[in-house]
């Protein structure tokens, strides 16, 4: 909770809303930040907070308190970007996120269709079931430098 306390001392003196990002690692950190008045906006990065379930908890906590959130990216490949796009569709994500087009970082992304940003700066949300993007497993196989497989074993002895 690196800067949460220090920001709680600063935020009351500013008209500008502080947005906390790197110091929010889970919903407990978000709760502490809001309880202490450390910010008025929170950036949610799925990878940083521990995945979808924890990101939803941060979102729900902020949404109940009318605290806007936005979805940040961490240079994900298309699979991660697809998850960020899905998360950004939740009601409390009212500020523009920083999810970008596949071509910004990759010559060829590992999903299809690639994520594209419209001339208006928006990303269309897929309307198909699931993530809305197909993983290019053949590309992943070609790019892989090594492969390992693990098989789940039953914990029950028969």
């Amino acid at each position: 909770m690196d800067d949460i306390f220090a920001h709680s001392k600063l935020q009351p003196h500013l008209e500008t809303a502080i947005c906390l990002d790197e110091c929010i690692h889970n919903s407990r950190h978000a709760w502490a930040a809001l309880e202490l008045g450390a910010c008025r906006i929170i950036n949610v990065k799925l990878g940083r907070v521990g995945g979808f379930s924890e990101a939803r908890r941060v979102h729900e906590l902020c949404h109940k308190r009318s605290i806007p959130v936005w979805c940040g990216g961490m240079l994900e490949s298309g699979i991660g970007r697809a998850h960020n796009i899905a998360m950004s569709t939740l009601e409390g994500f009212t500020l523009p996120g920083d999810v970008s087009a596949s071509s910004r970082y990759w010559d060829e992304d590992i999903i299809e269709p690639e994520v594209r940003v419209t001339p208006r700066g928006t990303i269309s949300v897929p309307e198909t079931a699931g993530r809305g993007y197909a993983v290019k497993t053949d590309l992943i196989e070609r790019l892989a430098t090594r492969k390992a497989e693990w098989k789940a074993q039953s914990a029950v002895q028969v």
Side-chain angles (χ1 to χ4, degrees):
M1 303 216 302
D2 298 11
D3 296 323
I4 293 174
F5 181 75
H7 282 97
S8 75
K9 296 300 180 186
L10 176 61
Q11 180 63 86
H13 301 285
L14 301 175
E15 288 183 34
T16 302
I18 290 176
C19 173
L20 290 183
D21 186 343
E22 281 82 10
C23 62
I24 305 297
H25 293 270
N26 53 53
S27 58
R28 292 181 320 280
H29 290 168
W31 176 83
L34 298 178
E35 284 293 306
L36 292 169
C39 64
R40 294 197 300 261
I41 301 170
I42 290 183
N43 171 268
V44 179
K45 290 182 178 158
L46 277 78
R48 189 192 63 236
V49 301
F52 255 112
S53 296
E54 194 63 16
R56 289 213 47 161
R57 283 191 277 278
V58 172
H59 164 265
E60 289 165 11
L61 172 72
C62 291
H63 189 59
K64 286 179 185 171
R65 295 174 180 227
S66 299
I67 300 295
V69 293
W70 61 282
C71 186
M74 297 172 65
L75 304 178
E76 297 89 349
S77 67
I79 297 168
R81 286 171 196 263
H83 290 286
N84 288 345
I85 293 166
M87 182 62 60
S88 296
T89 65
L90 296 176
E91 191 176 358
F93 284 86
T94 57
L95 299 173
D98 69 352
V99 179
S100 59
S102 297
S103 62
R104 182 169 185 184
Y105 298 106
W106 315 108
D107 289 333
E108 182 179 5
D109 206 341
I110 61 173
I111 60 164
E112 55 187 355
E114 290 190 354
V115 175
R116 299 189 192 284
V117 177
T118 70
R120 291 185 51 225
T122 61
I123 295 172
S124 296
V125 177
E127 295 183 16
T128 57
R131 286 183 307 268
Y133 297 91
V135 177
K136 296 180 183 177
T137 52
D138 59 326
L139 176 61
I140 293 171
E141 293 287 337
R142 275 197 329 269
L143 296 174
T145 58
R146 64 179 172 253
K147 181 178 179 178
E149 291 186 32
W150 289 269
K151 299 212 185 272
Q153 296 180 354
S154 175
V156 177
Q157 299 286 330
V158 180

